[in-house]
Amino acid sequence: MNPQYLQPREKLLLYGVQSLSDAELLAIFLRTGVKGTNVLTLSQNLLNEFGSLYHLINADHKSFCSEPGLGTVKYTQLKAVVELSHRYLKVQMTKESSLTNPSLTHHYLASRLADKEREVFLVIFLDNQNRVIYAEEMFVGTYNSVEIHPREIIREALKCNAAALILAHNHPSGIAEPSQADRNITYQIEQACALIDIRVIDHIVIGKGEYVSFAERGWL
């Protein structure tokens, strides 16, 4: 059967959730349309109105509830679904190796950092088998900068007996391209960690729907 003629739920069951468009995913969440508009058309209209699924999910209560087919119940349900996904990824990160599943690492970091209004610097601490010990948001800054203290990172790494680190921070502007300051602080942290035999595996900069990996760029 041609997927374009399937309803979203049928398409999900036959082809998997990854086969669904943003509008189809939203349609499953909304369940019903409004008078004169079916649920799939309503979903596409909402995405057009907000600009993207990301902006819909992060809309404030008033803006969200002002749209047809939405309201406080849907708002609370959506926030709960998003938080469930965050918690699922957090648990999954502790069960799988960050090195063997970089896609999971990027999804987890995006879920933690992409919607922050200030720059946040996060460190994932790994053991000697590259398993996640825990992730910590260590420094919080302003809209376009964050002050980072390598000594604090070293202290935390020693406390949990970490053998390796993955660094990450967000750019609230949405543009993930690292600055020279980002590269400089990464080098400082890498050099400080080398003195105590802790590896810096990657530094990932999270934007809106994009990321940059220092390791993939060959900078680490």
Side-chain angles (χ1 to χ4, degrees), residues 17-182:
V17 69
Q18 296 86 355
S19 68
L20 300 184
S21 67
D22 288 353
E24 289 169 328
L25 284 170
L26 184 59
I28 290 177
F29 171 76
L30 292 175
R31 297 177 56 195
T32 60
V34 295
K35 187 176 181 180
T37 306
N38 66 45
V39 68
L40 199 53
T41 301
L42 173 63
S43 298
Q44 190 58 63
N45 290 343
L46 288 169
L47 292 177
N48 293 340
E49 178 68 25
F50 284 94
S52 69
L53 186 59
Y54 172 85
H55 287 101
L56 171 62
I57 290 172
N58 287 285
D60 61 48
H61 184 221
K62 182 178 180 180
S63 299
F64 186 94
C65 294
S66 67
E67 296 297 326
L70 303 180
T72 296
V73 172
K74 291 296 184 188
Y75 180 82
T76 57
Q77 288 176 338
L78 186 58
K79 291 301 180 183
V81 167
V82 171
E83 182 59 25
L84 278 173
S85 71
H86 289 178
R87 296 187 188 191
Y88 168 76
L89 285 170
K90 184 177 181 179
V91 172
Q92 193 179 18
M93 277 286 293
T94 66
K95 302 297 183 183
E96 299 188 30
S97 167
S98 295
L99 288 182
T100 58
N101 195 344
S103 176
L104 171 61
T105 307
H106 302 151
H107 284 307
Y108 170 73
L109 291 172
S111 77
R112 285 283 298 264
L113 300 176
D115 60 350
K116 301 285 189 183
E117 296 181 353
R118 298 184 178 188
E119 282 200 17
V120 176
F121 194 92
L122 178 147
V123 181
I124 301 175
F125 299 92
L126 307 170
D127 66 16
N128 57 13
Q129 295 183 15
N130 298 319
R131 294 174 303 195
V132 175
I133 302 171
Y134 59 84
E136 182 78 16
E137 294 180 12
M138 296 202 64
F139 309 105
V140 178
T142 63
Y143 177 79
N144 58 8
S145 67
V146 57
E147 187 175 351
I148 300 156
H149 304 283
R151 182 181 299 176
E152 294 299 318
I153 297 173
I154 296 296
R155 181 181 293 119
E156 196 69 25
L158 291 173
K159 185 192 304 182
C160 68
N161 199 29
L165 311 176
I166 295 175
L167 313 175
H169 77 283
N170 63 313
H171 282 175
S173 66
I175 301 171
E177 188 62 32
S179 65
Q180 187 58 49
D182 294 336

